[in-house]
């Protein structure tokens, strides 16, 4: 435990403050705070949309105890969109970039067969150009196989970290899509947790003891400085933390990528920005984190003491005694420098390259579904904002209808003083059929001249009709009444047309989410290639993993990752199965389609959670070929197609695979070129 509890002292903690450094901190914090003030109305609107979708839809409403009527169509609309846009777990596919793997072979079967026949005929004495072609094919296959193996390893590794978080990535992504629909934009920050490293800006780190270790180091540092008395509660916490770690010596310290879904107002862009989702016109972007001084000391090993601007609840700068510090992580997109600094603190906590390296320099990935071009207002509108006015009018119409219905409740009126208190109570509480006697009415008096029913105003339903507002929601967001759980008088044809329009309209959002996921997964794969060691990869994926040590340029050029089709939006299974039914007869007749690819396609469409590698038997023969081999031979060419030569049973030339099977050990592999002639030509696999 001595190594775990080692205290890391900051070299510059006791050095005098550099005036130039302090001026740089002031310049950047003032710039970021000015931009935050400029966009505060937009950030407040985002918080307002969150309250609106929660049901707080009346002016000045702060709690759920308001008795005014609310029809929360906004929540129904968002839930329906989330279910349509993101429906399934993300599946990762590793692919090698399309490249020219062969310098001499043109990829044709004819050239392959010619080279094969020449080697079979002449053996090692084949013409040099033939041997060069064979060598080129062999080397190209090796290169392609290696890159595909790296991509497969990256696929399984990224999928491991997608399946590993708690809560699951699917839950976080669905919440992320809900946030984008509510606030108009959302952000994911890609990070990397290294061994014994804790980052307070990562909301959910990998589950291990790294955070406990960092907290232990902070408390030991404060104890060494004399800030923790022996009889204090913090000393008891220190002992408990130390005992817990000593009891968990078998707990692994882990590393891997982290995915932090930021609040929509945590990213601050300059006032000159013209398109926030694309960061157009931005010379810098900044993250905002409200942290305690203890959290900052735990990560940066710097005690900021009281030298920072105090921020209270809601992120407002106040003079509170125990307020939080505002940490800015600023990415200078012009000079490619990343600064970590606290508002009001004179020192830079950290500067240099970002914690992780990406092609775009910063690790922030924004997503917006309603991105528009507006230089004056670069923030995309949210789904809630687009239907807010209609929802408020529906609430108002329903609430006023309820008020009139309450006002028209049955009641009695009488001249003042005509009835005693007991008479009033008897009229208000009498039982059915009860004889009510009144003391205040003299005998012989017509009761109708003293007590009469209260006049009411008939309720006109047309005044409180919300059909026009509901129709505006449907037209604007391409929905129909059935999507909100109700039924309409439309015909089946009209409903089908409306649903087709809704699906086509939402397909654009599905494509945007797929493209965003592809970008995130590709960056994650490149990050893992740069940061993770081969032995760690083999521990997580398996001994068959291939994980090279490449430069950043080689990583970007060799391997890329993509999302499988239908991994986000709900796929149209009926259409997919219909297409497969059309493809199957052709696929079974031709020899140009890989049986392995076809089998994997079928398995994925039946259940996308099944690993097709586990479902398929390597080297299995197609069913038609097996049936052909099992046919009894009569030896008569007139009745047995197998005795009719090359144009018999298959009614087509055998091709390279059939030729190789007939050649046995006399093919290219027999001359020591390392090429398996029993397989299809490269590129046909």
């Amino acid at each position: 435990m001595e190594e775990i509890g080692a205290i890391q002292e900051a070299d510059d903690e006791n050095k005098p403050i550099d005036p130039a450094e302090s001026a740089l901190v002031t310049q950047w914090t003032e710039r970021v705070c000015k931009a935050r003030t400029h966009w505060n109305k937009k950030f407040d609107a985002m918080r307002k949309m969150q309250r609106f979708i929660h049901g707080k839809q009346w002016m000045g409403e702060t709690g759920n105890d308001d008795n005014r009527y609310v029809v929360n169509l906004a929540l129904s609309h968002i839930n329906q969109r989330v279910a349509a846009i993101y429906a399934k777990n993300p599946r990762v596919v590793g692919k090698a970039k399309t490249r020219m793997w062969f310098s001499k072979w043109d990829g044709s079967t004819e050239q392959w067969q010619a080279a094969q026949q020449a080697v079979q005929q002449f053996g090692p004495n084949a013409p040099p150009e033939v041997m060069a072609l064979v060598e080129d094919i062999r080397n190209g296959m090796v290169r392609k196989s290696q890159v595909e193996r790296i991509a497969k390893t990256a696929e399984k590794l990224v999928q491991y970290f997608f399946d590993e978080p708690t809560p699951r990535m699917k839950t976080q992504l669905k919440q992320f899509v809900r946030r984008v629909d509510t606030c108009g934009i959302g952000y994911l920050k890609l990070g990397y947790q290294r061994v014994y490293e804790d980052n307070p800006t990562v909301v959910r780190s990998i589950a291990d003891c790294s955070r406990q270790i960092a907290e232990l180091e902070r408390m030991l540092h404060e104890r060494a400085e004399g800030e923790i008395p022996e009889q204090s509660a913090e000393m008891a916490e220190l002992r408990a933390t130390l005992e817990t770690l000593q009891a968990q010596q078998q707990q692994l310290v882990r590393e891997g990528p982290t995915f932090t879904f930021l609040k929509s107002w945590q990213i601050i862009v300059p006032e000159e920005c013209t398109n926030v989702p694309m960061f157009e016109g931005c010379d810098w972007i900044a993250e905002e984190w409200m942290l305690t001084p203890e959290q900052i000391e735990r990560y940066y090993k710097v005690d900021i003491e009281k030298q920072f601007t105090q921020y209270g609840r809601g992120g407002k700068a106040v003079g509170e005694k125990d307020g939080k510090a505002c940490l800015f992580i600023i990415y200078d997109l012009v000079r490619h420098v990343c600064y970590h600094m606290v508002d009001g603190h004179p020192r830079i906590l950290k500067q240099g390259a970002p914690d992780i390296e990406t092609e775009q320099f910063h690790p922030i990935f924004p997503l917006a579904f309603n991105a528009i071009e507006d230089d004056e207002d670069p923030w995309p509108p949210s789904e809630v904002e687009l239907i807010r006015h209609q929802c408020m009018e529906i609430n108002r119409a329903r609430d006023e209808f309820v008020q009139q219905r309450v006002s028209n409740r049955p009641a009695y009126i009488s001249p003042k003083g005509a009835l005693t208190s007991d008479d009033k109570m008897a009229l208000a509480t009498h039982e059915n059929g009860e004889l009510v006697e009144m003391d205040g009415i003299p005998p012989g008096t017509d009761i109708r001249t003293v007590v009469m029913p209260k006049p009411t105003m008939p309720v006109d339903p047309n005044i409180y009709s919300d059909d026009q507002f509901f129709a505006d929601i449907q037209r604007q967001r391409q929905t129909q009444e059935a999507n909100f759980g109700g039924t309409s008088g439309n015909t089946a044809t009209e409903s089908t047309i409306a649903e087709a329009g809704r699906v086509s309209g939402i397909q654009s959002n599905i494509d945007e989410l797929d493209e965003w996921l592809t970008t995130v997964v590709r960056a994650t794969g490149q990050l893992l290639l740069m940061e993770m060691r081969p032995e760690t990869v083999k521990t997580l994926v398996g001994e068959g993993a291939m994980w090279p040590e490449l430069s950043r340029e080689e990583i970007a050029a060799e391997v890329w990752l993509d999302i499988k089709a239908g991994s986000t939006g709900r796929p149209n299974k009926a259409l997919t199965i219909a297409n497969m039914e059309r493809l199957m007869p052709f696929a079974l007749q031709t020899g140009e389609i890989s049986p392995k690819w076809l089998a994997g396609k079928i398995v994925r469409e039946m259940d996308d959670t099944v690993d097709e590698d586990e479902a398929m038997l390597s080297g299995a023969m197609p069913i038609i070929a097996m049936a052909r081999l099992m046919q009894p031979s009569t030896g008569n060419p007139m009745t047995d197609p197998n005795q009719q030569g090359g144009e018999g049973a298959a009614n087509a030339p055998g091709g390279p695979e059939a030729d190789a099977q007939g050649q046995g050990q006399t093919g290219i592999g027999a001359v020591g070129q390392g090429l398996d002639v029993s397989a299809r030509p490269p590129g046909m696999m």
Side-chain angles (χ1 to χ4, degrees):
M1 293 304 300
E2 293 182 0
E3 181 180 354
I4 293 179
I7 303 174
Q8 300 181 11
E9 297 286 352
D11 296 336
D12 58 347
E13 188 172 353
N14 299 319
K15 296 169 64 174
I17 298 176
D18 183 2
E21 178 183 357
S22 180
L24 182 62
V25 171
T26 302
Q27 175 183 318
W28 272 113
T29 54
E30 288 181 352
R31 186 181 302 174
V32 175
C33 290
K34 181 182 177 183
R36 179 180 58 188
T37 303
H38 178 77
W39 301 120
N40 260 343
K41 288 185 178 180
K42 179 59 64 174
F43 296 153
D44 290 341
M46 293 177 181
R47 296 184 177 95
K48 183 179 180 180
M49 293 303 104
Q50 285 188 337
R51 295 192 297 269
F52 191 90
I53 197 175
H54 191 265
K56 305 177 181 69
Q57 300 182 2
W58 287 98
M59 186 69 68
E61 184 179 1
T62 57
N64 294 326
D65 55 350
D66 197 308
N67 292 325
R68 286 174 288 186
Y69 201 92
V70 172
V71 185
N72 201 345
L73 294 177
L75 179 59
S76 300
H77 175 61
I78 296 300
N79 287 338
Q80 184 258 344
R81 277 182 53 84
V82 172
I85 293 175
Y86 189 85
K88 303 168 71 177
N89 282 319
R91 291 292 306 277
V92 181
V93 172
K95 294 181 180 179
K97 278 189 176 181
T98 303
R99 299 177 63 112
M100 302 293 292
W101 299 105
F102 309 98
S103 60
K104 299 183 181 299
W105 184 46
D106 60 7
S108 64
T109 305
E110 292 76 13
Q111 191 179 21
W112 164 273
Q113 291 177 334
Q116 187 180 36
Q117 292 172 359
V119 172
Q120 180 181 0
Q121 180 178 359
F122 298 104
N125 299 321
E129 58 273 13
V130 174
M131 302 305 294
L133 176 62
V134 172
E135 183 70 15
D136 176 63
I137 294 175
R138 185 185 70 82
N139 294 336
M141 290 180 64
V142 171
R143 289 191 297 266
K144 183 179 179 182
S145 176
Q146 288 178 345
V147 174
E148 288 178 345
R149 190 173 174 186
I150 295 171
K152 193 68 175 178
T153 303
E155 168 191 322
K156 294 186 177 297
L157 187 62
V158 175
Q159 189 68 55
Y160 170 82
F161 285 107
F162 264 45
D163 297 337
E164 194 265 355
T166 303
R168 297 291 298 274
M169 182 62 73
K170 178 180 179 180
T171 304
Q172 296 187 61
L173 285 174
K174 291 186 73 171
Q175 179 61 32
F176 178 67
V177 173
R178 188 174 290 109
R179 178 178 300 164
V180 174
D181 277 340
T182 303
C183 300
I185 192 170
Y187 307 93
L188 179 141
K189 179 183 179 182
L190 179 63
Y192 194 85
Q193 177 178 321
R194 297 173 179 85
V195 177
Y196 293 108
E197 180 182 68
D198 179 44
N199 190 339
T201 65
V202 175
V203 178
R204 294 184 179 91
S205 59
I206 299 177
D208 64 0
C209 58
S210 295
R211 181 156 294 189
Q212 292 173 277
I213 294 171
E215 180 65 14
L216 178 62
E217 290 179 348
R218 183 192 67 81
M219 299 177 73
L220 287 172
H221 179 268
E222 292 187 352
R223 181 191 178 190
E225 295 291 330
E227 299 179 15
I228 301 181
E230 289 293 331
Q231 306 301 324
S232 65
E234 285 187 297
M235 179 57 69
E237 291 179 348
L238 174 59
R239 296 192 186 100
T241 304
L242 186 61
E243 292 174 0
T244 302
L245 286 175
Q246 288 174 338
Q248 296 178 348
Q249 291 184 1
Q250 300 301 321
Q251 184 177 5
L252 296 177
V253 178
R254 303 164 63 190
E255 62 174 317
T258 58
F259 307 96
T260 302
F261 296 91
L262 306 176
K263 298 292 185 182
S264 299
W265 50 83
Q266 276 189 265
I267 296 297
I268 303 173
V269 296
E271 303 171 47
E272 297 78 17
C273 180
T274 57
N275 190 329
V276 176
M278 301 293 294
F279 291 140
E280 293 181 357
C282 294
D283 293 336
W284 56 269
I285 58 176
E287 301 176 42
E288 179 186 81
W289 293 89
M290 296 297 169
L291 305 173
T292 63
E294 290 77 14
Q295 289 175 308
I296 293 176
E297 183 180 0
R298 182 195 307 159
Y299 180 57
Y300 296 101
K301 306 297 184 294
V302 175
D303 185 5
I304 61 175
E305 299 177 344
K306 298 298 181 181
Q307 296 180 339
F308 63 93
T309 303
Q310 303 277 345
Y311 280 77
R313 188 176 182 84
K316 305 296 183 181
V318 295
E320 295 185 3
K321 180 179 179 181
D322 297 323
K324 291 187 176 181
C326 180
L327 172 68
F328 291 131
I329 302 179
I330 304 168
Y331 302 93
D332 188 342
L333 304 182
V334 177
R335 302 169 184 83
H336 278 206
V337 180
C338 178
Y339 300 100
H340 296 235
M341 54 185 63
V342 172
D343 187 12
H345 187 70
R347 297 183 185 275
I348 298 176
L349 302 183
K350 184 179 179 181
Q351 64 180 347
D355 292 339
I356 65 169
E357 296 184 31
T358 62
E359 293 180 351
Q360 62 184 9
F361 176 67
H362 60 82
I364 309 299
F365 298 88
L367 175 64
F369 293 135
N370 299 315
I372 57 176
E373 292 287 340
D374 187 352
D375 294 345
E376 297 182 359
D377 186 1
W379 299 88
S382 69
E383 288 292 322
V384 180
E385 187 177 355
L386 293 175
I387 65 173
R388 183 173 65 92
H389 291 288
Q390 296 90 322
C391 291
M392 292 175 64
E393 287 299 326
I394 292 175
N395 291 342
R396 188 175 293 110
R398 294 297 189 183
D399 188 67
E400 291 177 355
F401 173 79
V402 171
Q403 291 179 17
Q404 183 172 0
R405 186 172 61 85
V406 172
S407 300
N408 282 336
R409 288 179 299 178
Y412 301 97
I413 59 175
S414 174
K416 187 176 181 179
L419 301 177
T420 64
S421 299
D422 293 339
D423 293 340
K424 298 175 184 179
M425 183 62 66
L427 283 175
T429 61
H430 69 83
E431 299 289 340
N432 292 335
E434 180 182 353
L435 177 63
V436 180
E437 297 180 344
M438 298 187 178
D439 297 333
I441 301 178
T445 304
D446 188 354
I447 189 64
R448 290 174 295 181
T449 62
V450 180
V451 178
M452 65 186 66
K454 182 190 73 173
T456 59
M457 181 181 297
V459 178
D460 185 0
N462 294 324
I463 298 178
Y464 304 108
S465 175
D466 59 5
D467 292 344
Q468 62 272 31
F469 309 121
F470 201 81
D472 289 342
I473 295 178
Q474 296 172 7
R475 294 189 186 99
Q476 185 179 21
R477 306 318 303 149
Q478 297 178 323
T479 59
Q480 56 179 329
E481 189 173 348
N483 295 128
F484 289 93
T487 58
S488 62
N490 297 335
T491 65
T493 302
E494 292 174 332
S495 299
T496 302
I497 294 173
E499 180 64 12
R502 184 190 71 86
V503 171
S504 62
I506 211 169
Q507 187 63 44
S508 174
N509 298 150
I510 295 176
D511 293 339
E512 290 170 352
L513 180 59
D514 278 343
E515 186 65 28
W516 179 85
L517 276 172
T518 300
T519 304
V520 172
V521 172
R522 179 180 178 181
T524 304
Q526 293 178 355
L527 175 63
L528 289 170
L529 281 168
M530 287 186 287
E531 299 288 347
M532 190 159 281
R533 296 165 297 177
E535 54 269 22
T536 305
V537 175
K538 289 185 178 181
T539 302
L540 299 177
V541 176
E543 291 298 325
M546 178 175 287
W547 205 245
E549 297 182 1
L550 303 174
S551 66
R552 181 178 179 182
E553 291 75 14
E554 290 173 329
I555 291 170
E558 291 292 339
V559 179
W560 73 308
L561 298 172
D562 198 0
I563 299 294
K564 285 186 179 180
S567 64
T568 51
R570 294 189 183 276
N572 190 337
K573 278 199 176 255
L575 179 61
T576 303
I577 293 175
N579 291 334
M580 291 182 61
E581 289 176 349
R582 298 186 185 99
L583 176 64
M584 285 295 292
F586 172 75
L588 293 174
Q589 295 296 329
T590 183
E592 299 298 322
I593 294 182
S594 170
K596 182 177 181 180
W597 173 86
L598 186 61
K601 184 72 174 175
I602 296 173
V603 170
R604 288 194 299 270
E605 294 301 334
M606 295 299 295
D607 188 354
D608 68 314
T609 62
V610 175
D611 188 350
E612 58 268 20
D613 292 339
E614 298 179 1
M616 292 182 291
L617 178 62
S618 178
M621 186 179 298
I623 295 177
I624 291 181
M626 292 178 61
R628 187 179 300 157
L629 291 176
M630 295 177 64
Q631 291 178 355
S633 177
T634 63
N636 185 357
M638 300 298 295
T639 59
D640 188 358
N642 293 316
Q643 301 296 323
Q644 297 174 3
E647 302 294 328
N651 198 27
E657 183 176 359
D659 294 342
Q661 292 175 352
Q663 292 162 5
Q665 299 297 325
T666 61
I668 296 177
V671 296
Q673 300 301 322
L675 198 60
D676 185 5
V677 297
S678 64
R680 293 181 178 271
M684 307 287 292
M685 302 178 68

